[in-house]
Amino acid sequence: MLSRTADHLFWMARYIERAENLARLLDVTWQNSLVPQAPAAASENWRAVIALNSLETAYSAKHGNETTADKVLHFMVSDPANPASIFCCLRAARENAHAVRGTITSEMWETLNATWIELRGQSHEQRMANGPGEFFDWVKMRASLNRGTTSGTMLQDEAYNFIRLGTLLERADNTARILDVKFHVLLPVNHDSEDAITDFYQWGALLRSVSGFEVYRKVYRDVITPERVAELLVLHPDMPRSLHFCLRGVVKNLDLLANSHSGETQRRAGMLYARLRYGCVEDFLAGGLHEFLSDFMDRIYEIGAGINRDFLAPVEGLQ
């Protein structure tokens, strides 16, 4: 396969997954903002969304130092000048797909193109008209529809492997980001009944943001605890959004795509996967979950850079 084609497929998948995961992050932040809390705490939660995407400078240039729900939602959902917004991610995904229309199936193209046409035809006010949650559900549904048409219509060859590689790498990074930004914020400070109810709601919102609430109930059949949430999202091998699940898929697809240059990238991915496969949540928590997740995200970045070096030819203007 031409490296330029592989590049478009890889980034098409990453942008679709990035849009969905940004919708998930914004959704859980929005749901948590509905819980009674001090204005400073609410502002800090929205500021964390900006910081997690390394957009502090760009946000401040447009909106100053005030972080409100309305301003952050507009910046992260609809701002065409913010390359990390949902609008720009879906536009970039569509542009990458357009460049490889002969490689993807007609169903894939029609699904992604229809998503972009519907999004482009709405103003920000129209997207938020029925509440942010409804729009975020739409983004998640369109991403799921795209994955379904991909797995159901595409030949599972090298092109499919690059799409899966992009999807899983992006998902691993974003699951780590969501868990990192929310885990310590939600740790209980005391155990009275009112706080317990609030904690349950907020932990439940976090799990729903990664489609993990029902999975948690099935796996643990007990109350929600921070330690088990971390274990589910980091180490559970069958949870589709866990770090373990994603890295296993990254290693598998790298093995299928291996060439004479990719040995070091495969080694780095294999080492990170081994840490997840044989690790236990108690060790990660003892050493600091934030420290582990920060290191994980750094390693994901290195693996992504290795994939770019070993397989892809970046196209200026689309990434």
Side-chain angles (χ1 to χ4, degrees):
M1 173 183 289
L2 291 174
S3 58
R4 185 175 296 270
T5 300
D7 181 78
H8 284 301
L9 293 168
F10 178 80
W11 280 101
M12 176 194 73
R14 288 202 71 161
Y15 279 124
I16 294 169
E17 188 69 25
R18 187 173 298 177
E20 179 184 1
N21 282 288
L22 180 54
R24 290 176 178 276
L25 176 60
L26 291 170
D27 194 22
V28 71
T29 304
W30 169 256
Q31 290 186 49
N32 286 339
S33 73
L34 302 178
V35 177
Q37 57 190 295
S43 178
E44 186 59 34
N45 284 336
W46 289 110
R47 187 176 294 113
V49 173
I50 301 298
L52 233 116
N53 290 277
S54 303
L55 293 170
E56 297 97 322
T57 302
Y59 179 86
S60 297
K62 180 160 287 192
H63 297 290
N65 295 322
E66 184 182 15
T67 50
T68 64
D70 290 342
K71 289 181 178 180
V72 173
L73 285 173
H74 185 275
F75 184 69
M76 298 304 298
V77 168
S78 302
D79 194 335
N82 173 18
S85 69
I86 291 174
F87 179 90
C88 288
C89 286
L90 290 177
R91 179 177 63 189
R94 190 260 184 193
E95 289 173 354
N96 276 283
H98 185 266
V100 288
R101 282 191 64 179
T103 302
I104 62 176
T105 64
S106 59
E107 291 89 347
M108 290 175 62
W109 165 250
E110 288 164 6
T111 299
L112 187 50
N113 193 45
T115 300
W116 167 243
I117 290 172
E118 185 173 349
L119 179 70
R120 185 185 59 184
Q122 300 171 333
S123 66
H124 178 71
E125 290 70 25
Q126 289 173 317
R127 293 169 195 146
M128 300 290 109
N130 295 320
E134 183 169 317
F135 173 74
F136 297 141
D137 285 343
W138 177 84
V139 175
K140 289 183 280 186
M141 184 61 67
R142 297 304 300 185
S144 296
L145 184 59
N146 182 270
R147 278 194 302 273
T149 55
T150 299
S151 63
T153 67
M154 192 167 184
L155 185 67
Q156 297 195 9
D157 55 3
E158 284 188 337
Y160 180 83
N161 296 143
F162 276 113
I163 291 172
R164 287 298 293 164
L165 189 59
T167 296
L168 293 168
L169 200 68
E170 186 70 27
R171 184 181 297 175
D173 179 69
N174 280 278
T175 295
R177 288 176 185 272
I178 290 177
L179 186 58
D180 189 38
V181 75
K182 296 299 179 184
F183 186 82
H184 293 289
V185 172
L186 297 183
L187 283 177
V189 294
N190 53 53
H191 299 283
D192 62 45
S193 59
E194 184 176 345
D195 283 336
I197 294 172
T198 300
D199 290 342
F200 175 84
Y201 177 85
Q202 293 185 332
W203 284 111
L206 172 58
L207 287 168
R208 288 188 179 93
S209 75
V210 291
S211 299
F213 186 80
E214 293 177 1
V215 174
Y216 185 98
R217 288 300 195 196
K218 184 174 182 180
V219 172
Y220 296 107
R221 302 179 183 277
D222 204 350
V223 297
I224 300 175
T225 66
E227 295 78 10
R228 287 175 174 171
V229 170
E231 183 178 53
L232 181 70
L233 298 186
V234 174
L235 295 177
H236 201 287
D238 300 321
M239 167 62 180
R241 293 189 173 272
S242 75
L243 306 187
H244 182 139
F245 182 96
C246 292
L247 259 293
R248 183 175 63 200
V250 168
V251 169
K252 175 184 176 181
N253 284 280
L254 277 174
D255 288 344
L256 292 170
L257 294 166
N259 59 30
S260 58
H261 308 291
S262 62
E264 177 61 18
T265 302
Q266 290 176 265
R267 185 186 72 84
R268 288 176 180 270
M271 289 179 63
L272 185 55
Y273 172 54
R275 188 177 180 189
L276 294 167
R277 182 179 180 185
Y278 298 108
C280 64
V281 70
E282 291 79 11
D283 291 340
F284 297 147
L285 292 175
L289 187 64
H290 171 70
E291 288 72 18
F292 164 73
L293 292 172
S294 295
D295 179 68
F296 178 87
M297 287 185 278
D298 288 342
R299 292 176 184 270
I300 284 291
Y301 177 83
E302 292 173 356
I303 293 169
I307 292 169
N308 184 73
R309 180 185 63 247
D310 300 335
F311 300 103
L312 311 179
V315 180
E316 186 176 357
L318 289 185
Q319 291 142 42

